[in-house]
Amino acid sequence: MSQTIAADILPPRGHEAKRVAIVDAAMAVFCREGFAGANIDLIAAEAGVSRQTVYNHHGDKEKLFVAVVHELTERCNAGIFATLATFPDQPKDIEADLVAYAERMNRNCICSRDGKFLRKLIQTEGERYPELFAEWRENGPGTTLPALAARFARLAFAGHLTIDDPDVTARHFIALINAELQIEFMMGIQPSQEEVLQSATNGVRTFLRAYGARQPASRQRETALA
Amino acid sequence: MSQTIAADILPPRGHEAKRVAIVDAAMAVFCREGFAGANIDLIAAEAGVSRQTVYNHHGDKEKLFVAVVHELTERCNAGIFATLATFPDQPKDIEADLVAYAERMNRNCICSRDGKFLRKLIQTEGERYPELFAEWRENGPGTTLPALAARFARLAFAGHLTIDDPDVTARHFIALINAELQIEFMMGIQPSQEEVLQSATNGVRTFLRAYGARQPASRQRETALA
DNA sequence: AGAAAATTAGACACTCTTGTCTAATTTGTC
DNA sequence: GACAAATTAGACAAGAGTGTCTAATTTTCT
């Protein structure tokens, strides 16, 4: 009896390893070829596994695709939240701090392997399976954009920025730090470290020209009260 | 002899009409389903034509796809240049004029049916067939971004703007006026007129906070000379 | 009306892919 | 070493899609 329970609860180590290998390989193939163009034989070969094992683990192609989207969504959201936690709430040099943050954002969330894959899947299959990406919409932009907006509102409250609408500010921040990477994103090209940094630097400079404090942070609160 | 020449040079009216209908239908299906998922029977049905006629006109699936990309690229570039010609070179109210221009840009080039289709094809197939979109890269962003940058440089020279790098300015302009439409673009959703206008309005406001003239345009030239 | 060209429906061979099945082999556990 | 579970290769049926061919029909031009 006890061994039956153990077998149910704790699958062999190699088992889970193969499941992950299959999902990882499927990720790459689905992203490269699209759902219709993806080939189970190719996925199996890329995972170093027989085709039958793919079916044993995931049932059929559609279920495998759902598993891929789910895994990717979780990984990307985790990365975004981890990066959000490094937001410079008490900046010493606001320009340098925001550039560093923007570069982390680009590198870890948007230009990462997972970020690129998720973006591509949303672009290619989002229109056909909108409910599949509902989880992403809610826990992704739906949660992180307001969170980012709150950080900017706090910076404004502390006198480091001058903003009207924090949500618009957050969207403009994201748009500006990626402004020079748009063509690479569309074509699926991985931008170089230098390009990422350049885009972040120029974006933050423009961001601060628009939203920077009009006077030194220390004096702004007094003036606002007067 | 003369009728032979006429037949060679001037194909029957219905003939060309069907060719266009086929390309239009193929556009929609390739964009919706991707190259691998697209079905010639479906394209023929959507064009109101028999499958054999599709093969008569375009040879095979791949050639049809190339024809679609080519047609789409030409149409979109034509639209962009037409819109670029309406740039406000002598603005009366720079904010209102730029908002109107931004809205035209979004509506005619980016959110249009053709714009959406081309974007989707680049996203889904650009990685696999990069040479196919070389024409777009050169005549599209490669030509229009510098052209837009030149317009901004001219506005700066006339004292309406304060800019460092015109190319960066142009990219930031595009990024800002689309900042609030990113999720719709990714999911392939058509934004409403109001959303387009809203994004353009907020984007131009931020753009001018960053790049607007620091003093009235009339006085700036004198100061620069002093 | 009559000739030439284009279009159509349908059948067809061929290829590719999915998902299932089976028997043999490997892996992991006790 | 023995037993159970997982994995593997290979064959297989079923279905879908591409591209070709043919004969009949329609359209177009003169």
Side-chain angles (χ1 to χ4, degrees), chain B:
Chain B
M1 196 58 162
S2 66
Q3 68 274 29
T4 307
I5 292 174
D8 280 354
I9 298 178
L10 295 172
R13 314 181 218 321
H15 194 69
E16 196 55 26
K18 285 202 195 278
R19 170 172 246 115
V20 174
I22 292 168
V23 170
D24 273 341
M27 228 174 248
V29 175
F30 278 133
C31 290
R32 213 171 49 225
E33 319 282 346
F35 179 79
N39 179 316
I40 302 273
D41 285 0
L42 187 58
I43 291 172
E46 207 146 312
V49 146
S50 80
R51 182 178 60 234
Q52 187 57 50
T53 301
V54 176
Y55 284 105
N56 286 346
H57 276 273
H58 293 98
D60 63 17
K61 191 179 180 180
E62 200 162 326
K63 292 207 192 80
L64 175 58
F65 184 66
V66 172
V68 164
V69 172
H70 188 75
E71 174 72 22
L72 215 39
T73 303
E74 279 196 343
R75 281 194 213 169
C76 285
N77 283 342
I80 291 177
F81 278 105
T83 305
L84 204 56
T86 70
F87 188 89
D89 284 308
Q90 277 123 28
K92 296 213 163 119
D93 175 343
I94 191 164
E95 179 159 351
D97 290 352
L98 278 182
V99 167
Y101 175 71
E103 209 240 334
R104 279 195 297 278
M105 199 97 169
N106 274 350
R107 190 156 31 82
N108 299 339
C109 307
I110 302 176
C111 298
S112 67
R113 192 186 123 106
D114 289 342
K116 178 190 155 178
F117 281 174
L118 182 58
R119 198 169 51 245
K120 182 111 185 228
L121 283 190
I122 294 167
Q123 288 168 347
T124 54
E125 313 293 343
E127 204 169 347
R128 207 192 333 252
Y129 310 105
E131 72 291 349
L132 196 56
F133 296 97
E135 184 197 348
W136 166 75
R137 276 185 85 160
E138 281 163 34
N139 297 337
T143 305
T144 57
L145 269 177
L148 187 60
R151 301 303 187 110
F152 282 127
R154 196 163 158 185
L155 280 188
F157 184 75
H160 296 290
L161 298 178
T162 304
I163 70 180
D164 307 323
D165 182 333
D167 290 304
V168 171
T169 304
R171 276 193 284 262
H172 283 177
F173 180 78
I174 300 287
L176 284 170
I177 68 177
N178 289 310
E180 299 177 28
L181 308 175
Q182 290 307 309
I183 293 173
E184 283 76 8
F185 285 170
M186 284 186 81
M187 298 284 294
I189 299 169
Q190 196 80 311
S192 70
Q193 294 274 3
E194 290 77 35
E195 287 171 313
V196 170
L197 181 59
Q198 183 75 26
S199 185
T201 304
N202 288 339
V204 167
R205 185 177 301 145
T206 295
F207 180 81
L208 285 177
R209 280 171 69 159
Y211 290 111
R214 292 291 150 78
Q215 45 188 300
S218 52
R219 269 209 279 157
Q220 184 154 341
R221 294 291 302 285
E222 305 161 21
T223 315
L225 295 173

Side-chain angles (χ1 to χ4, degrees), chain A:
Chain A
M1 197 58 162
S2 63
Q3 69 273 30
T4 306
I5 291 175
D8 282 353
I9 297 180
L10 294 172
R13 313 182 219 322
H15 194 68
E16 195 57 25
K18 286 203 192 278
R19 167 172 249 114
V20 173
I22 292 168
V23 170
D24 274 340
M27 229 174 248
V29 175
F30 278 132
C31 290
R32 211 172 50 225
E33 318 282 346
F35 179 79
N39 180 317
I40 301 274
D41 285 359
L42 186 59
I43 292 173
E46 206 146 313
V49 148
S50 79
R51 183 176 61 236
Q52 187 58 51
T53 301
V54 177
Y55 284 105
N56 286 345
H57 276 274
H58 293 99
D60 63 17
K61 191 178 180 182
E62 200 162 328
K63 292 207 191 81
L64 175 58
F65 184 65
V66 171
V68 164
V69 172
H70 188 76
E71 175 72 22
L72 215 39
T73 303
E74 279 197 342
R75 281 194 212 168
C76 286
N77 284 340
I80 291 176
F81 278 105
T83 306
L84 204 55
T86 71
F87 187 90
D89 284 308
Q90 277 123 27
K92 297 209 163 120
D93 176 342
I94 191 163
E95 179 158 351
D97 291 353
L98 277 182
V99 167
Y101 176 70
E103 208 240 335
R104 278 196 297 278
M105 199 97 168
N106 274 351
R107 189 157 32 81
N108 299 339
C109 307
I110 302 176
C111 299
S112 67
R113 190 186 124 106
D114 289 343
K116 179 191 155 179
F117 281 176
L118 182 57
R119 199 171 48 244
K120 181 112 186 227
L121 283 189
I122 294 168
Q123 287 168 347
T124 54
E125 312 294 342
E127 203 169 347
R128 206 191 335 253
Y129 310 106
E131 72 290 349
L132 196 56
F133 296 97
E135 183 196 350
W136 166 76
R137 277 185 84 161
E138 281 163 34
N139 297 337
T143 305
T144 57
L145 270 178
L148 188 59
R151 301 302 186 110
F152 282 126
R154 196 164 159 184
L155 281 189
F157 184 75
H160 296 290
L161 298 178
T162 305
I163 69 180
D164 307 324
D165 182 333
D167 290 303
V168 170
T169 303
R171 276 192 284 261
H172 284 178
F173 180 78
I174 300 287
L176 283 170
I177 67 177
N178 290 309
E180 299 177 29
L181 309 175
Q182 290 307 309
I183 292 173
E184 283 77 7
F185 285 169
M186 284 186 81
M187 298 285 293
I189 299 168
Q190 196 80 310
S192 72
Q193 295 273 4
E194 290 76 35
E195 288 171 313
V196 171
L197 182 59
Q198 183 74 27
S199 184
T201 305
N202 288 339
V204 167
R205 185 177 301 145
T206 296
F207 179 82
L208 284 177
R209 280 171 69 160
Y211 291 111
R214 292 290 149 81
Q215 45 189 298
S218 50
R219 269 209 279 157
Q220 183 153 343
R221 293 291 302 284
E222 305 161 22
T223 315
L225 293 173

